[in-house]
């Protein structure tokens, strides 16, 4: 009965969370005050409330991927998508290791992060692209020195279910390689904020 009322009333997630917490306290108080609640009944109601809360909040989405080895500059080209081949986390299965694309499994606000290191007189611009439009750009620039240069970006995007985000080579690149090894990792990650 309570779940039908909640489902019918829930249009706003924040109101839903407040109502679920209040409802949970009310149900628990009623059960204990009537002295009819055994442990199994309390456990069943608590689990039902947790499931309803998860349904209201939406599912979790998060991923973290990186390159397993250095990327030779002579293997990239302008606008080539980086395919990060090591998957550490892929909650929600939004990241596709064959294409390098992240596809939003549901609508919401997402946060994306990239890290790119250039080494030994190398450099590259890196673009974060959503649905074919450049949203952010960084430049790992060790072009005129033998040390490494690391570029990092954090990009907040409002996505609709099915939108595609990926990282690609930008307009400028050259030198020997982009570094991803025991010293630094070339990575791409993201999560659903709300």
């Amino acid at each position: 009965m309570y779940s039908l009322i909640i489902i019918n009333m829930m249009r706003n997630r924040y109101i839903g969370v407040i109502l679920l917490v209040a409802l949970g306290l009310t149900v628990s108080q009623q059960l204990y005050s009537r002295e009819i609640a055994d442990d199994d009944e309390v456990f069943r109601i608590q689990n039902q409330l947790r499931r309803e809360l998860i349904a209201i909040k939406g599912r979790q989405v998060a991923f973290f991927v990186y390159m397993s080895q250095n990327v030779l500059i002579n293997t990239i080209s302008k606008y080539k998508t980086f395919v990060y081949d090591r998957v550490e986390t892929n909650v929600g299965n939004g990241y596709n290791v064959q294409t390098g694309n992240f596809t939003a499994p549901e609508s919401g606000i997402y946060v994306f992060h990239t890290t790119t290191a250039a080494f030994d007189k190398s450099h590259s611009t890196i673009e974060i692209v959503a649905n074919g439009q450049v949203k952010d750009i960084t430049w790992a620039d060790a072009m005129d020195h033998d040390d490494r240069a690391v570029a990092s970006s954090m990009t907040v995007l409002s996505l609709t279910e099915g939108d595609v985000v990926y990282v690609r080579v930008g307009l400028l690149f050259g030198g020997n390689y982009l570094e991803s090894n025991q010293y630094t990792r070339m990575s791409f990650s993201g999560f659903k904020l709300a």
Side-chain angles (χ1 to χ4, degrees):
M1 176 179 129
Y2 288 117
S3 62
L4 290 176
I5 293 170
I6 291 170
I7 290 170
N8 288 330
M9 293 176 61
M10 294 301 122
R11 296 275 187 228
N12 184 315
R13 290 181 179 184
Y14 301 108
I15 292 172
V17 170
I18 292 168
L19 287 174
L20 275 176
V21 170
L23 180 61
L25 293 174
T26 302
V27 169
S28 294
Q29 289 170 349
Q30 287 176 356
L31 290 172
Y32 287 115
S33 68
R34 293 188 319 197
E35 297 181 19
I36 61 168
D38 60 18
D39 288 340
D40 290 337
E41 188 174 1
V42 171
F43 182 72
R44 182 185 59 74
I45 290 172
Q46 287 174 338
N47 281 338
Q48 179 183 353
L49 290 172
R50 281 188 194 106
R51 284 191 303 273
E52 290 173 357
L53 180 60
I54 289 168
I56 289 170
K57 288 174 63 177
R59 59 185 169 177
Q60 294 179 334
V61 178
F63 73 99
F64 172 69
V65 296
Y66 64 93
M67 297 293 195
S68 62
Q69 59 188 3
N70 296 333
V71 177
L72 299 175
I73 294 292
N74 65 5
T75 65
I76 63 175
S77 57
K78 185 168 66 170
Y79 305 137
K80 180 179 180 180
T81 300
F82 286 111
V83 178
Y84 299 84
D85 62 330
R86 289 286 193 249
V87 178
E88 286 289 320
T89 305
N90 196 12
V91 177
N93 295 315
Y95 181 76
N96 183 322
V97 73
Q98 278 76 42
T99 64
N101 292 342
F102 170 81
T103 303
E106 61 182 42
S107 299
I109 304 299
Y110 288 80
V111 179
F112 296 95
H113 181 264
T114 63
T115 299
T116 307
F119 188 72
D120 189 24
K121 297 188 185 292
S122 302
H123 68 99
S124 181
T125 53
I126 307 298
E127 299 177 343
I128 294 79
V129 180
N131 299 323
Q133 296 184 337
V134 175
K135 298 297 182 179
D136 203 355
I137 302 171
T138 64
W139 188 12
D141 179 16
M143 186 168 30
D144 60 356
H145 54 90
D146 294 330
D147 202 355
R148 72 183 42 87
V150 178
S152 181
S153 70
M154 182 180 290
T155 310
V156 180
L157 299 173
S158 178
L159 300 178
T160 301
E161 182 178 344
D163 284 353
V164 175
V165 178
Y166 56 94
V167 180
R168 73 182 186 188
V169 179
L171 294 172
L172 302 173
F173 59 94
N176 296 314
Y177 63 91
L178 302 177
E179 191 175 23
S180 192
N181 53 32
Q182 70 271 24
Y183 303 113
T184 186
R185 285 195 173 147
M186 191 171 162
S187 64
F188 178 36
S189 60
F191 62 92
K192 183 176 177 227
L193 182 63

